Amino acid sequence: MVDLLVVVPHPDDESFGAGGALLLAKEAGLRTGILTLTRGEAGRTLGLCSPEELPQVRVRELHQAGEILGVDFLQVLPFPNALPQDAGEGPRGLASGKGLLDHPEAEAAIREWLLSLRPRYVVTFPPDGINGHPDHVATSRYAKRAAEGLAQVVYFVRPEGPWPITHRLRLPEWALARKLKALAQHKTQALSILAFMEGYPERLWTETFHLPGFQGTEEGPWW
């Protein structure tokens, strides 16, 4: 049983989007968890492992990050990871060419875990996926449908995006330090982490969320 479950497609999404929320919720006494739908096999290797080894390495990185974030539950599902639209150059894992959009049965898999864990809140990507990644979009769609009648969906959103901010979490120093340490566990994805830090540094210490149906903006958590 958990109170707050983060549902994301790839290892590292949990720390980027809701690492601070996981830490603050745990500090407030909530039981927290992470459900990741793929093993991130389409990500970069940065020469740290072979393409064949990347899924296992990324799962190990996720477990290390989850330990730092203090989660009570962590599960990785084996659905395929789609290549991002701007995949660029550099060695990557062995992606099949398909992704979560090709696997609508992921919705039923999420719902099974929700029935088992009974979270009050499901935290996931907004419908636009923040950056349009097809796996992000699919995860948002599946998580929303799976949570119907079971849990309140909360989106982590970008400040300048189309989804109004209803809750803003400004991380205290201890939480920021642990969030950064969690991000640092995803070593194979260091280039993505550096690009995020360069482009959106303020999102490291301030996380913004959209709670559907909530009016106005609160400085602090929704739980």
Side-chain angles (χ1 to χ4, degrees):
M1 302 285 286
V2 300
D3 299 296
L4 186 154
L5 182 67
V6 172
V7 179
V8 289
H10 315 119
D12 76 11
D13 291 333
E14 79 298 326
S15 298
F16 277 123
L22 285 166
L23 288 163
L24 295 182
K26 182 69 173 181
E27 181 74 5
L30 277 67
R31 290 181 60 82
T32 60
I34 298 168
L35 178 64
T36 305
L37 304 186
T38 82
R39 296 176 296 165
E41 69 273 11
R44 295 184 177 89
T45 66
L46 299 188
L48 298 175
C49 63
S50 69
E52 293 81 4
E53 295 170 326
L54 184 62
Q56 293 75 28
V57 170
R58 293 200 70 184
V59 169
R60 184 166 65 246
E61 293 173 340
L62 174 62
H63 277 274
Q64 292 166 347
E67 184 174 347
I68 292 165
L69 295 172
V71 297
D72 300 285
F73 167 86
L74 193 156
Q75 179 68 40
V76 181
L77 301 183
F79 293 103
N81 175 193
L83 279 171
Q85 295 168 330
D86 55 347
E89 300 298 326
R92 288 183 174 269
L94 302 177
S96 68
K98 294 187 176 182
L100 287 170
L101 286 173
D102 300 292
H103 287 270
E105 67 272 20
E107 180 184 324
I110 297 170
R111 190 167 179 87
E112 285 185 18
W113 279 108
L114 298 187
L115 288 167
S116 174
L117 296 168
R118 292 292 177 180
R120 288 188 287 150
Y121 305 106
V122 169
V123 182
T124 191
F125 280 98
D128 65 355
I130 291 185
N131 62 4
H133 191 300
D135 283 349
H136 294 186
V137 172
T139 298
S140 177
R141 182 182 306 162
Y142 300 155
K144 179 179 182 295
R145 292 175 180 170
E148 288 180 3
L150 297 177
Q152 171 68 61
V153 171
V154 182
Y155 299 129
F156 49 82
V157 296
R158 63 189 189 276
E160 70 283 3
W163 302 93
I165 295 169
T166 62
H167 294 80
R168 183 180 289 108
L169 299 183
R170 301 185 191 276
L171 306 188
E173 185 175 325
W174 69 266
L176 174 60
R178 286 176 62 182
K179 177 179 177 177
L180 290 173
K181 187 174 181 180
L183 279 167
Q185 304 312 302
H186 296 286
K187 292 179 175 59
T188 57
Q189 307 311 302
L191 291 181
S192 297
I193 294 169
L194 288 173
F196 184 90
M197 293 175 69
E198 181 180 28
Y200 314 101
E202 67 285 350
R203 284 167 59 185
L204 293 171
W205 62 82
T206 303
E207 294 181 358
T208 47
F209 298 86
H210 174 78
L211 178 63
F214 188 91
Q215 300 297 318
T217 302
E218 285 196 359
E219 299 291 330
W222 61 88
W223 56 81

